[in-house]
């Protein structure tokens, strides 16, 4: 397929515009942010300082925000794994048209703006919303209830937003394996659950791992859904950064928070790249 | 599966799939349902049936100018992203050169780095080295987050290409522009089109980059929806959102019809 071209001019000319663009618009901003996070206020001369990081590690408020972000992301990821694996398994072993319908079911919400999906959840979770109405009509609760400004509300909405990433990643790894090994296992006398446990599950581990790393990374940095559902009472990392940038204008601190979030993401993304690459072989 | 799936498991699968289907679709349904409500407030179940909120949206200057901005932004992003992405994808798929796989990973990296962090970095750069966030800044941000999609779809299209075609045209003495215009680019066409649909959809729907790169005179539809959700949403937000859901459905159906969603996701 690839030409072992002795002339490097042609690919170089083709790739240069994109490379220059990425360096200027993607890598330079990242480095710039890194440097802003260790530079003090201009009033103090703007020298090297670790005060922004110190502020994060010494202020109980931010420790609470980071802890909440981490805890919610773990719950969201585990829920996505538990729902995502059976759904992906059913999808990959269904007849063609069922699979197409199910893929549509996953992709249509994924392609809809996160703002709109979150809006839907506000109407469902809020006072006088769908859940409240259903429970009230069923006589289970006397008054209107609301899951707005609760961690459960954030988890419910976030799982809906992120589940497609989990399902599509696991589906990819299941499709690469194919149903033949499962059939062989059944022919040799293994039962249905035995086959799932000893064949399908182990074979989809790379997909489950890379899917959940992706979901976790997206979850710790997600902004729209936690901000609108959780509101100011339940700030997460991304919301605090937005607050620093647009409200307090403390950009050095915002940069430090972003660098910490980026660090946490990279710790997850590097194994993700490793797992998803080895799964493809 | 040989030996069949136990009846109970089949039943359980159907129940599970139905429950997930409801869970995935109910937020969209609720938005669509609220948009035809006759009442002043967003309540469930909607009271009365009316299209008045669509009328209000179509007469609202704020929504119309936001819609215009969103469409302009998405179209400019499509042109820039598809142009840069296609040429990079041709280089990465058709040629072997030192550092090729490293460059591939580099071009796909915006896909896995959270757009939030990237958006803040971009905002800081535009504030320090340009006149602050602007329409151009938004285009730059959207091109970065959409570039990997173009590279993926065009590379997938090129992977199906017969490698001897380009070689043959070379040997028959085609000049470089003949090769590109008559051989290579026609092979990229489906990939470019699929990429363009993705880019349009992502740029049209994005709120994260848009909220951070917020310029005083530039407001897109998702930004407008976000700010009204922060305060007091009325059913006109639902009407706008329903129109946007409609656009997404059309894009997804076209993508599926022309390219097959299972193949490109």
């Amino acid at each position: 397929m690839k030409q072992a071209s002795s002339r490097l001019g042609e690919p170089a000319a083709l790739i240069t515009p994109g490379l220059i663009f990425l360096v200027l618009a993607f890598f330079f901003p990242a480095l710039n942010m890194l440097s802003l996070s260790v530079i003090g206020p201009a009033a103090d001369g703007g020298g090297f300082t670790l005060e922004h990081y110190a502020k994060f590690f010494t202020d109980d408020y931010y420790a609470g925000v980071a802890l909440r972000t981490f805890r919610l992301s773990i719950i969201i990821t585990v829920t996505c794994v538990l729902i995502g694996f059976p759904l992906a398994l059913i999808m990959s072993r269904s007849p063609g048209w069922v699979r197409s319908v199910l893929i549509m079911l996953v992709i249509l919400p994924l392609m809809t703006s996160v703002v709109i999906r979150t809006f839907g959840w506000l109407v469902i979770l809020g006072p006088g919303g769908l859940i409240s109405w259903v429970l009230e009509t069923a006589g289970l609760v006397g008054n209107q209830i609301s899951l707005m400004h609760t961690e459960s509300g954030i988890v419910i909405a976030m799982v809906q937003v992120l589940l497609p990433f989990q399902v599509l990643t696991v589906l990819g790894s299941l499709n690469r394996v194919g149903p033949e090994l499962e059939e062989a296992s059944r022919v040799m006398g293994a039962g249905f659950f035995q086959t799932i446990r000893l064949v399908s599950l182990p074979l989809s581990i790379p997909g489950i791992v890379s899917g959940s790393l992706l979901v976790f990374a997206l979850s710790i940095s997600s902004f729209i859904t936690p901000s609108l559902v959780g509101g100011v009472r339940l700030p997460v990392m991304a919301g605090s950064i937005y607050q620093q940038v647009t409200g307090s204008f403390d950009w050095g601190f915002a940069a430090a928070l972003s660098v910490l979030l980026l660090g946490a993401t990279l710790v997850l993304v590097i194994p993700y790249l490793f797992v998803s690459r080895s799964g493809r072989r | 599966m040989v030996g069949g799936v136990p009846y109970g498991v089949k039943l359980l699968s159907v129940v599970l799939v139905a429950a997930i289907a409801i869970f995935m679709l109910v937020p969209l349904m609720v938005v669509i349902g609220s948009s035809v409500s006759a009442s002043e407030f967003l309540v469930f179940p909607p009271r009365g049936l009316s299209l008045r909120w669509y009328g209000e949206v179509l007469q609202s200057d704020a929504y119309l100018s936001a819609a215009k901005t969103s469409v302009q932004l998405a179209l400019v992003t499509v042109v820039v992203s598809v142009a840069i992405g296609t040429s990079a994808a041709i280089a990465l798929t058709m040629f072997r050169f030192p550092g090729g796989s490293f460059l591939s990973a580099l071009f796909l990296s915006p896909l896995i780095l959270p757009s939030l962090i990237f958006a803040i970095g971009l905002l800081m750069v535009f504030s320090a080295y340009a006149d602050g966030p602007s329409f151009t800044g938004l285009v730059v941000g959207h091109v970065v987050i959409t570039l990997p999609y173009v590279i993926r779809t065009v590379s997938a299209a090129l992977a199906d290409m017969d490698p001897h075609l380009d070689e043959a045209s070379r040997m028959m003495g085609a000049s470089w522009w003949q090769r590109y215009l008559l051989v290579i680019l026609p092979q990229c066409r489906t990939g470019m089109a699929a990429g363009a649909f993705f880019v349009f959809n992502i740029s049209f729907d994005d709120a994260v980059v848009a909220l951070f790169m917020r310029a005083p005179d530039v407001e897109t539809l998702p930004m407008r929806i976000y700010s009204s959700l922060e305060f007091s949403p009325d059913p006109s937000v639902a009407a706008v959102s329903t129109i946007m859901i409609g656009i997404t459905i059309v894009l997804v159906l076209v993508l599926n019809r022309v390219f097959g969603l299972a193949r490109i996701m």
Side-chain angles (χ1 to χ4, degrees):
Chain A
M1 171 74 221
K2 295 197 183 186
Q3 306 166 18
S5 174
S6 53
R7 301 165 306 142
L8 289 172
E10 198 172 325
L14 286 166
I15 211 162
T16 304
L19 204 56
I20 291 176
F21 182 83
L22 267 194
V23 167
L24 286 181
F26 188 61
F27 296 104
F28 176 62
L31 287 176
N32 182 59
M33 194 167 72
L34 199 64
S35 78
L36 271 181
S37 75
V38 291
I39 290 176
D44 301 345
F48 176 84
T49 175
L50 287 175
E51 64 171 288
H52 304 306
Y53 291 97
K55 183 173 170 189
F56 174 80
F57 286 108
T58 50
D59 192 330
D60 281 350
Y61 174 78
Y62 291 102
V65 170
L67 204 64
R68 174 180 304 113
T69 310
F70 189 74
R71 185 177 60 235
L72 289 177
S73 302
I74 293 274
I75 300 173
I76 290 161
T77 308
V78 170
T79 315
C80 281
V81 169
L82 292 180
I83 307 177
F85 175 69
L87 183 63
L89 190 64
I90 295 169
M91 281 166 96
S92 73
R93 307 298 180 244
S94 295
W97 70 271
V98 179
R99 193 185 317 176
S100 310
V101 171
L102 292 181
I103 285 183
M104 209 54 136
L105 179 77
V106 172
I107 287 178
L108 185 62
L110 178 65
M111 301 273 280
T112 309
S113 181
V114 176
V115 182
I116 296 175
R117 280 188 278 168
T118 306
F119 173 32
W121 282 111
L122 299 184
V123 179
I124 296 167
L125 302 169
L130 180 62
I131 290 185
S132 170
W133 176 70
V134 167
L135 292 180
E136 230 183 313
T137 314
L140 290 174
V141 290
N143 294 330
Q144 286 195 340
I145 60 150
S146 166
L147 284 173
M148 287 285 286
H149 312 299
T150 65
E151 294 196 350
S152 324
I154 298 181
V155 170
I156 294 172
M158 286 294 296
V159 167
Q160 195 262 354
V161 170
L162 295 178
L163 186 63
F165 294 98
Q166 180 75 29
V167 172
L168 291 174
T169 318
V170 177
L171 186 64
S173 76
L174 280 170
N175 283 346
R176 275 196 291 278
V177 174
E180 293 81 8
L181 286 171
E182 287 161 6
E183 279 161 18
S185 148
R186 294 303 297 275
V187 170
M188 315 278 261
F192 176 81
F193 290 105
Q194 223 177 351
T195 302
I196 298 253
R197 190 164 54 85
L198 298 173
V199 180
S200 321
L201 192 58
L203 285 172
S204 35
I205 289 288
I208 294 176
V209 171
S210 55
S212 49
L213 288 173
L214 184 61
V215 167
F216 190 85
L218 292 171
S219 162
I220 56 172
S221 64
S222 61
F223 163 60
I224 306 275
T225 312
S227 303
L228 288 176
V229 177
V232 283
R233 272 178 51 203
L234 295 171
V236 293
M237 283 293 275
S240 315
I241 296 175
Y242 184 68
Q243 175 56 34
Q244 295 299 328
V245 169
T246 59
S248 326
F249 298 103
D250 188 349
W251 285 22
F253 187 50
L257 289 180
S258 311
V259 170
L260 290 169
L261 202 53
L262 180 65
T265 311
L266 285 180
V267 167
L268 297 165
V269 160
I270 291 163
Y272 165 81
L273 288 175
F274 193 71
V275 172
S276 59
R277 187 168 296 179
S278 66
R280 206 158 288 161
R281 281 197 194 114
Chain B
M1 218 183 267
V2 181
V5 179
Y7 182 72
V9 173
K10 268 191 175 160
L11 191 71
L12 199 67
S13 305
V14 173
V15 173
L16 182 77
V17 167
I20 297 175
I22 292 172
F23 175 65
M24 292 306 285
L25 295 181
V26 79
L28 306 185
M29 303 295 197
V30 163
V31 169
I32 298 171
S34 315
S35 74
V36 291
S37 163
S39 81
E40 292 285 327
F41 309 102
L42 281 167
V43 284
F44 210 89
R47 305 210 174 105
L49 201 67
S50 142
L51 289 176
R52 61 180 273 215
W53 298 106
Y54 285 90
E56 302 234 340
V57 165
L58 294 177
Q59 280 164 7
S60 144
D61 286 338
Y63 277 125
L64 290 180
S65 81
K68 198 173 142 211
T69 308
S70 276
V71 171
Q72 282 172 341
L73 175 64
L75 289 178
V76 176
T77 306
V78 165
V79 171
V80 179
S81 192
V82 170
I84 296 180
T86 303
S87 93
I90 293 173
L92 292 169
T93 346
M94 293 186 54
F95 296 90
R96 196 187 300 269
F97 52 91
S101 61
F102 171 72
L103 284 176
S104 287
L106 210 64
F107 271 94
L108 293 180
S109 56
L111 210 54
I112 39 181
L113 280 189
S115 48
L116 166 94
I117 293 169
F118 155 69
I120 300 162
L122 201 62
L123 166 68
M124 289 171 174
V125 165
F126 266 82
S127 305
Y129 302 96
D131 296 333
S134 58
F135 185 81
T136 316
L138 264 180
V139 171
V140 170
H142 282 184
V143 171
V144 171
I145 57 171
T146 55
L147 209 49
Y149 291 87
V150 178
I151 293 188
R152 258 168 42 169
T153 53
V154 174
S155 300
L158 281 174
D160 295 340
M161 171 180 169
D162 181 351
H164 301 300
L165 277 177
D166 183 42
E167 218 172 291
S169 74
R170 228 184 256 265
M171 291 197 319
M172 316 261 277
S175 65
W176 67 269
W177 62 267
Q178 283 173 320
R179 278 175 46 230
Y180 276 90
L181 219 56
L182 302 173
V183 181
I184 299 175
L185 282 177
Q187 303 285 332
C188 298
R189 217 166 36 198
T190 50
M192 288 165 77
F197 280 112
F198 269 111
V199 173
F200 187 93
N201 189 64
I202 293 167
S203 169
F204 194 69
D205 281 352
D206 165 77
V208 176
V209 175
L211 279 172
F212 277 91
M213 292 292 287
R214 191 200 288 261
D217 53 339
V218 183
E219 191 180 46
T220 65
L221 275 182
M223 289 159 83
R224 171 116 208 116
I225 295 173
Y226 183 88
S227 12
S228 44
L229 291 184
E230 270 189 319
F231 301 106
S232 54
D234 64 32
S236 70
V237 189
V240 175
S241 304
T242 304
I243 295 170
M244 288 183 69
I245 294 173
I247 293 171
T248 302
I249 292 176
V250 170
L251 287 175
V252 170
L253 287 179
V254 170
L255 265 174
N256 188 38
R257 189 66 186 265
V258 182
F259 313 102
L261 281 178
R263 210 174 64 106
I264 49 182
M265 287 310 278

